[in-house]
mmCIF file of all heavy atoms in Angstrom:
data_model
loop_
_atom_site.group_PDB
_atom_site.id
_atom_site.type_symbol
_atom_site.label_atom_id
_atom_site.label_comp_id
_atom_site.label_asym_id
_atom_site.label_seq_id
_atom_site.Cartn_x
_atom_site.Cartn_y
_atom_site.Cartn_z
ATOM 1 N N ALA A 52 19.746 -12.281 -40.199
ATOM 2 C CA ALA A 52 20.771 -13.317 -40.466
ATOM 3 C C ALA A 52 20.766 -13.706 -41.930
ATOM 4 O O ALA A 52 21.824 -13.917 -42.540
ATOM 5 C CB ALA A 52 20.504 -14.526 -39.574
ATOM 6 N N GLU A 53 19.553 -13.784 -42.531
ATOM 7 C CA GLU A 53 19.458 -14.137 -43.947
ATOM 8 C C GLU A 53 20.081 -13.061 -44.821
ATOM 9 O O GLU A 53 20.795 -13.359 -45.782
ATOM 10 C CB GLU A 53 17.970 -14.315 -44.328
ATOM 11 C CG GLU A 53 17.340 -15.604 -43.799
ATOM 12 C CD GLU A 53 18.167 -16.845 -44.158
ATOM 13 O OE1 GLU A 53 18.495 -17.013 -45.350
ATOM 14 O OE2 GLU A 53 18.513 -17.629 -43.233
ATOM 15 N N LYS A 54 19.807 -11.804 -44.463
ATOM 16 C CA LYS A 54 20.355 -10.676 -45.197
ATOM 17 C C LYS A 54 21.888 -10.673 -45.139
ATOM 18 O O LYS A 54 22.573 -10.441 -46.133
ATOM 19 C CB LYS A 54 19.775 -9.389 -44.588
ATOM 20 C CG LYS A 54 20.217 -8.067 -45.164
ATOM 21 C CD LYS A 54 19.585 -6.948 -44.321
ATOM 22 C CE LYS A 54 20.383 -5.651 -44.376
ATOM 23 N NZ LYS A 54 19.881 -4.725 -45.404
ATOM 24 N N LEU A 55 22.380 -10.972 -43.949
ATOM 25 C CA LEU A 55 23.806 -10.928 -43.706
ATOM 26 C C LEU A 55 24.574 -12.015 -44.485
ATOM 27 O O LEU A 55 25.755 -11.884 -44.773
ATOM 28 C CB LEU A 55 24.076 -11.066 -42.207
ATOM 29 C CG LEU A 55 25.387 -10.494 -41.654
ATOM 30 C CD1 LEU A 55 25.487 -9.002 -41.932
ATOM 31 C CD2 LEU A 55 25.507 -10.749 -40.146
ATOM 32 N N LYS A 56 23.862 -13.089 -44.843
ATOM 33 C CA LYS A 56 24.495 -14.153 -45.626
ATOM 34 C C LYS A 56 24.745 -13.721 -47.067
ATOM 35 O O LYS A 56 25.559 -14.288 -47.770
ATOM 36 C CB LYS A 56 23.558 -15.386 -45.650
ATOM 37 C CG LYS A 56 23.743 -16.292 -44.468
ATOM 38 C CD LYS A 56 22.866 -17.521 -44.622
ATOM 39 C CE LYS A 56 22.720 -18.239 -43.310
ATOM 40 N NZ LYS A 56 21.604 -19.193 -43.339
ATOM 41 N N LEU A 57 23.947 -12.742 -47.526
ATOM 42 C CA LEU A 57 24.005 -12.332 -48.929
ATOM 43 C C LEU A 57 24.695 -11.001 -49.120
ATOM 44 O O LEU A 57 25.229 -10.736 -50.185
ATOM 45 C CB LEU A 57 22.568 -12.235 -49.476
ATOM 46 C CG LEU A 57 21.690 -13.482 -49.330
ATOM 47 C CD1 LEU A 57 20.255 -13.183 -49.683
ATOM 48 C CD2 LEU A 57 22.257 -14.622 -50.201
ATOM 49 N N GLU A 58 24.635 -10.141 -48.117
ATOM 50 C CA GLU A 58 25.124 -8.771 -48.304
ATOM 51 C C GLU A 58 26.187 -8.416 -47.293
ATOM 52 O O GLU A 58 26.340 -9.069 -46.283
ATOM 53 C CB GLU A 58 23.961 -7.784 -48.033
ATOM 54 C CG GLU A 58 22.845 -7.813 -49.039
ATOM 55 C CD GLU A 58 21.706 -6.910 -48.593
ATOM 56 O OE1 GLU A 58 21.977 -5.878 -47.928
ATOM 57 O OE2 GLU A 58 20.565 -7.256 -48.937
ATOM 58 N N ALA A 59 26.840 -7.309 -47.594
ATOM 59 C CA ALA A 59 27.778 -6.719 -46.644
ATOM 60 C C ALA A 59 27.044 -5.519 -46.016
ATOM 61 O O ALA A 59 26.571 -4.638 -46.732
ATOM 62 C CB ALA A 59 29.046 -6.272 -47.326
ATOM 63 N N VAL A 60 26.915 -5.530 -44.677
ATOM 64 C CA VAL A 60 26.172 -4.483 -43.992
ATOM 65 C C VAL A 60 27.147 -3.563 -43.286
ATOM 66 O O VAL A 60 28.072 -4.048 -42.629
ATOM 67 C CB VAL A 60 25.191 -5.124 -42.960
ATOM 68 C CG1 VAL A 60 24.407 -4.069 -42.215
ATOM 69 C CG2 VAL A 60 24.235 -6.106 -43.662
ATOM 70 N N ALA A 61 26.947 -2.257 -43.421
ATOM 71 C CA ALA A 61 27.842 -1.298 -42.785
ATOM 72 C C ALA A 61 27.856 -1.482 -41.266
ATOM 73 O O ALA A 61 26.788 -1.619 -40.665
ATOM 74 C CB ALA A 61 27.418 0.121 -43.140
ATOM 75 N N LEU A 62 29.020 -1.496 -40.695
ATOM 76 C CA LEU A 62 29.119 -1.757 -39.231
ATOM 77 C C LEU A 62 28.498 -0.660 -38.391
ATOM 78 O O LEU A 62 28.081 -0.922 -37.262
ATOM 79 C CB LEU A 62 30.599 -1.911 -38.824
ATOM 80 C CG LEU A 62 31.223 -3.326 -38.877
ATOM 81 C CD1 LEU A 62 32.471 -3.342 -38.063
ATOM 82 C CD2 LEU A 62 30.271 -4.394 -38.440
ATOM 83 N N ASP A 63 28.460 0.581 -38.928
ATOM 84 C CA ASP A 63 27.868 1.635 -38.111
ATOM 85 C C ASP A 63 26.336 1.589 -38.127
ATOM 86 O O ASP A 63 25.678 2.405 -37.509
ATOM 87 C CB ASP A 63 28.402 3.034 -38.507
ATOM 88 C CG ASP A 63 28.187 3.316 -39.987
ATOM 89 O OD1 ASP A 63 27.614 2.455 -40.682
ATOM 90 O OD2 ASP A 63 28.611 4.403 -40.423
ATOM 91 N N GLN A 64 25.772 0.598 -38.851
ATOM 92 C CA GLN A 64 24.313 0.459 -38.865
ATOM 93 C C GLN A 64 23.826 -0.715 -37.997
ATOM 94 O O GLN A 64 22.644 -1.021 -37.980
ATOM 95 C CB GLN A 64 23.808 0.242 -40.307
ATOM 96 C CG GLN A 64 23.865 1.519 -41.111
ATOM 97 C CD GLN A 64 23.626 1.270 -42.607
ATOM 98 O OE1 GLN A 64 23.111 0.217 -42.988
ATOM 99 N NE2 GLN A 64 24.028 2.214 -43.412
ATOM 100 N N VAL A 65 24.755 -1.374 -37.354
ATOM 101 C CA VAL A 65 24.388 -2.550 -36.537
ATOM 102 C C VAL A 65 25.035 -2.443 -35.163
ATOM 103 O O VAL A 65 25.876 -1.594 -34.935
ATOM 104 C CB VAL A 65 24.818 -3.880 -37.229
ATOM 105 C CG1 VAL A 65 23.992 -4.136 -38.469
ATOM 106 C CG2 VAL A 65 26.307 -3.839 -37.568
#
Side-chain angles (χ1 to χ4, degrees):
E53 287 307 309
K54 178 183 155 95
L55 204 60
K56 274 183 196 165
L57 305 170
E58 292 174 31
V60 179
L62 271 198
D63 56 1
Q64 286 169 18
V65 290

